[in-house]
Amino acid sequence: MRLAYVWDSRRCISCMACVVACASANYPEFMFKDKPNPQWNWLASNIRVVVREKDGRPEIRLRLLSCQHCENPPCVDVCPTGASYIDKRTGLVKIDHSRCIGCRACIVACPYNARWLNPITLQPEKCPGPLCSRTLPEKAVCVEVCPAGARLIGDLDDPRSPVNEVLRRYKVGKYKVERMKEHLGTSPKWFVITG
Amino acid sequence: MAGAMISPKRLVAIVASLVLVVIGFAMVAYGFTRKEAHAISWGLSNVGYTYLALAAGGAIIIWSVYVILGYRGPKGELDKIVKLGLWFSIVSLIGAGIVILAKLTKPLGSIWLILTGFNPASRIALDVPLISLYIIILAVQLILMIRAASVDIGRVGGILAVLGIIVAIALYTNLAQIYGTLASIPGWFESMPFLAPYFIASAILLGAASQSLFTLPYVWRDKELKGFMARFYGSAIALAVIAAALLLIWLMILVSYRPEAWVTYSKIVMGAYASFFWIFGILLGIVATLILALYAIINRNVTALIIASMLALITVFSNIYLITIVHQTKIPDVINGLYMEFAYHITLDEALMVLGALIIWVSLYVLGQTLLPLLPGEKPRRFFIFK
């Protein structure tokens, strides 16, 4: 199994429901703290908003970014203890916090800057993939709460999975399926639909 | 029996250095309990670790010049300071270990976790066996010299020296690769071919400079030895400064053709950190250090050696600081042409941990000199290796 994400930038309405849902599901203890994520100067959420600014105003080119669950993840390569690893069952990149020594190499190594340092545990945090929710087991909360259906998760090895259906649909035509920073050889499993 | 008694002066030195070691550990422990999350992941603690690990590079000079080439000075002057030099390298590596372990969330369990989950692709994991081997080789060589009550330990010394040089160069190359293999930070990644030789040159420069500064107080009354040290360490400093300067020129030419790396290098050369770089890195670090080192060689002038050594210490620190910090302050984001910018300021926790480690470093060196027979004519009398 190789679980992958799709984010359809055309459908996204920038409501940030996914960002808040991720924060409240994964880090409820941080909900009322000021600047709980000093690295991104952001919420304690695994989703980072990337916006290009022009003359001090945000341009309408936005990326919602989280762990790309790469097939060649630099964070796993640099981890000295094997605390960052690829879960062979799901193909997702995971963190075993009991083995993490807090060297922060994974945070520095991630070319997507998709990891942040938990200011309480001083250990890295990132999107754990589905099963992230404590209240909705077996669901990725960001996918569940998206009102526009802009987020999908599925198995790349299963031809009938919703992810493969969408990727097939957008392979031709005026829309494009992109993977970010592919030139680095990370083989991200996070697809962005643009057009 | 009088010879076996500890003199009051030595007793004061032992107690004072022990107290300072305790104070140093207390500072490290207090800093550890107040650790914060910063916008930049690798900060002053990483600078301190790299700096102290490089300071152990003086052992390369001892192994290559003294043991392998067999150069002992016109009147065997190096024989008098070689044990102090080896001890200095050992305490530098211990200091480096303390500062980096304090940075981690599990300082005591981390070595065990690294060894049990060893990831050979990780340069940080490789650092553990390399630094351990480095310390073991230094310690075995020093113990053999102490036990033999001589610096001549025969063929074993030569084998240990060859092994030591290999391990030391592997350690500094690996240390450079910790930074240079990360494609996420273009300032490091694009300067990879330069970083390893630069770290080795810096280790020799810092090793020579700090070894001369730490050894001089113990041989201050020996004028002949001081004159020899001015020439010997002056030459090592001058050669290492020339090597570092050439590597710096090479690097600047290299990165000026790499736009992504130039984003942060331009900050160093002509941006917010330019005055820091030009004053400490170039003017004092290369020009003044080289002139003073040459003056020390020609005139056997110890004062010039001391100033050159102090400038070298400051230079390597400022260069490691710039290499470590500045390239993390601006990194490319996922949208083409967009960069994430971070500000860095030294916080109390990091300052305490690094300062504590530096105090431990100096105190352990003094403690070792008071307990171990490292000076000419001193022999082991108690517990196998102690005075």
Side-chain angles (χ1 to χ4, degrees):
Chain A
M1 186 187 277
R2 288 186 304 142
L3 286 177
Y5 281 88
V6 168
W7 176 61
D8 190 339
S9 71
R10 300 164 315 117
R11 298 185 72 93
C12 177
I13 56 169
S14 308
C15 66
M16 306 294 153
C18 54
V19 177
V20 178
C22 174
S24 57
N26 291 304
Y27 312 103
E29 65 274 25
F30 284 109
M31 284 307 282
F32 301 102
K33 292 212 170 170
D34 187 30
K35 287 186 185 171
N37 180 349
Q39 219 134 12
W40 299 348
N41 198 14
W42 188 236
L43 299 176
S45 171
N46 295 320
I47 303 170
R48 179 165 73 85
V49 177
V50 184
V51 192
R52 191 206 293 267
E53 283 190 358
K54 199 176 181 184
D55 304 326
R57 286 161 172 264
E59 256 188 340
I60 311 297
R61 190 175 177 195
L62 170 139
R63 286 273 187 278
L64 288 176
L65 187 129
S66 58
C67 177
Q68 308 288 296
H69 295 287
C70 307
E71 293 190 83
N72 300 314
C75 54
V76 172
D77 282 348
V78 298
C79 180
T81 62
S84 283
Y85 65 100
I86 297 179
D87 181 359
K88 284 180 183 155
R89 201 175 53 82
T90 59
L92 295 170
V93 176
K94 299 265 185 184
I95 305 174
D96 177 356
H97 283 105
S98 68
R99 292 202 65 80
C100 177
I101 57 171
C103 68
R104 307 175 196 186
C106 55
I107 299 174
V108 185
C110 177
Y112 305 96
N113 207 0
R115 290 185 174 224
W116 56 283
L117 192 72
N118 185 320
I120 295 174
T121 61
L122 294 173
Q123 292 202 333
E125 302 285 359
K126 67 165 206 79
C127 164
L131 308 168
C132 60
S133 168
R134 293 166 199 184
T135 48
L136 298 166
E138 298 178 11
K139 304 280 184 189
V141 283
C142 55
V143 177
E144 287 300 305
V145 299
C146 182
R151 286 176 170 272
L152 280 174
I153 189 165
D155 181 8
L156 282 177
D157 290 339
D158 176 4
R160 290 170 302 166
S161 80
V163 164
N164 274 327
E165 269 176 35
V166 167
L167 293 180
R168 265 197 305 274
R169 197 187 317 152
Y170 292 116
K171 216 170 184 178
V172 285
K174 60 180 177 175
Y175 303 113
K176 275 200 302 186
V177 178
E178 288 177 10
R179 291 195 293 173
M180 289 184 278
K181 294 196 177 188
E182 265 193 293
H183 64 281
L184 295 176
T186 51
S187 301
K189 293 204 300 296
W190 211 87
F191 299 88
V192 183
I193 295 167
T194 57
Chain B
M1 286 298 285
M5 292 285 284
I6 297 175
S7 70
K9 200 175 155 189
R10 204 174 135 217
L11 192 66
V12 169
I14 292 171
V15 173
S17 43
L18 274 174
V19 169
L20 282 172
V21 168
V22 172
I23 290 172
F25 270 111
M27 286 171 75
V28 171
Y30 187 67
F32 178 79
T33 58
R34 294 185 62 100
K35 263 196 296 193
E36 297 173 30
H38 302 103
I40 279 177
S41 295
W42 287 350
L44 188 68
S45 299
N46 300 74
V47 176
Y49 166 69
T50 309
Y51 186 76
L52 287 171
L54 292 180
I60 297 175
I61 303 170
I62 294 174
W63 284 327
S64 55
V65 178
Y66 180 80
V67 184
I68 294 173
L69 296 177
Y71 178 74
R72 302 190 157 198
K75 294 176 183 168
E77 289 93 339
L78 267 180
D79 288 345
K80 299 176 185 172
I81 53 174
V82 77
K83 282 190 274 185
L84 275 176
L86 292 177
W87 175 244
F88 176 77
S89 291
I90 293 174
V91 295
S92 300
L93 292 171
I94 293 171
I98 290 169
V99 78
I100 202 65
L101 287 177
K103 161 100 180 179
L104 305 177
T105 46
K106 295 168 186 152
L108 298 176
S110 57
I111 306 282
W112 173 250
L113 285 168
I114 289 173
L115 293 178
T116 53
F118 194 78
N119 175 9
S122 162
R123 301 298 189 276
I124 293 176
L126 285 173
D127 232 30
V128 174
L130 284 173
I131 213 163
S132 310
L133 256 176
Y134 198 176
I135 293 182
I136 290 168
I137 293 168
L138 283 162
V140 169
Q141 199 165 31
L142 185 62
I143 290 168
L144 290 175
M145 283 181 181
I146 289 173
R147 286 301 303 156
S150 159
V151 283
D152 190 4
I153 50 171
R155 191 177 284 180
V156 182
I159 294 167
L160 286 173
V162 173
L163 268 177
I165 290 174
I166 293 168
V167 170
I169 288 177
L171 174 71
Y172 297 130
T173 307
N174 185 61
L175 203 53
Q177 287 185 345
I178 289 177
Y179 298 98
T181 51
L182 301 179
S184 52
I185 313 280
W188 294 339
F189 191 63
E190 302 286 3
S191 43
M192 178 56 206
F194 149 87
L195 276 182
Y198 181 77
F199 271 37
I200 294 166
S202 294
I204 292 169
L205 174 60
L206 190 57
S210 44
Q211 235 177 45
S212 66
L213 281 179
F214 278 68
T215 308
L216 273 171
Y218 296 105
V219 296
W220 195 250
R221 288 180 189 162
D222 190 338
K223 277 191 179 171
E224 212 166 324
L225 182 56
K226 278 199 298 183
F228 168 78
M229 282 181 68
R231 295 194 75 172
F232 182 76
Y233 283 115
S235 307
I237 290 170
L239 285 171
V241 164
I242 292 168
L246 290 173
L247 287 165
L248 198 65
I249 294 167
W250 172 27
L251 170 78
M252 287 304 159
I253 295 169
L254 183 89
V255 294
S256 63
Y257 290 100
R258 310 266 168 98
E260 285 209 325
W262 188 247
V263 168
T264 45
Y265 271 107
S266 62
K267 275 186 162 189
I268 296 174
V269 178
M270 50 197 190
Y273 297 87
S275 52
F276 198 60
F277 170 72
W278 288 106
I279 293 172
F280 293 108
I282 304 293
L283 195 66
L284 296 176
I286 291 175
V287 181
T289 308
L290 185 59
I291 292 170
L292 285 162
L294 292 174
Y295 186 82
I297 298 165
I298 295 163
N299 297 305
R300 292 174 168 258
N301 188 307
V302 178
T303 312
L305 174 71
I306 292 171
I307 301 170
S309 299
M310 288 167 93
L311 288 179
L313 256 63
I314 295 167
T315 301
V316 176
F317 185 84
S318 66
N319 286 347
I320 298 295
Y321 185 89
L322 291 174
I323 288 171
T324 309
I325 306 294
V326 180
H327 298 307
Q328 292 179 81
T329 58
K330 198 169 180 181
I331 53 174
D333 212 329
V334 290
I335 297 177
N336 264 346
L338 189 68
Y339 285 85
M340 289 189 84
E341 295 213 42
F342 303 98
Y344 178 70
H345 56 273
I346 297 168
T347 47
L348 180 70
D349 60 314
E350 283 193 309
L352 281 172
M353 289 190 290
V354 173
L355 205 60
L358 291 177
I359 291 173
I360 296 168
W361 178 44
V362 178
S363 320
L364 277 182
Y365 177 73
V366 176
L367 189 66
Q369 192 281 322
T370 53
L371 295 175
L372 302 169
L374 303 176
L375 293 172
E378 291 181 338
K379 287 182 181 169
R381 294 180 201 279
R382 302 160 201 249
F383 306 114
F384 197 65
I385 54 165
F386 292 95
K387 279 189 196 174

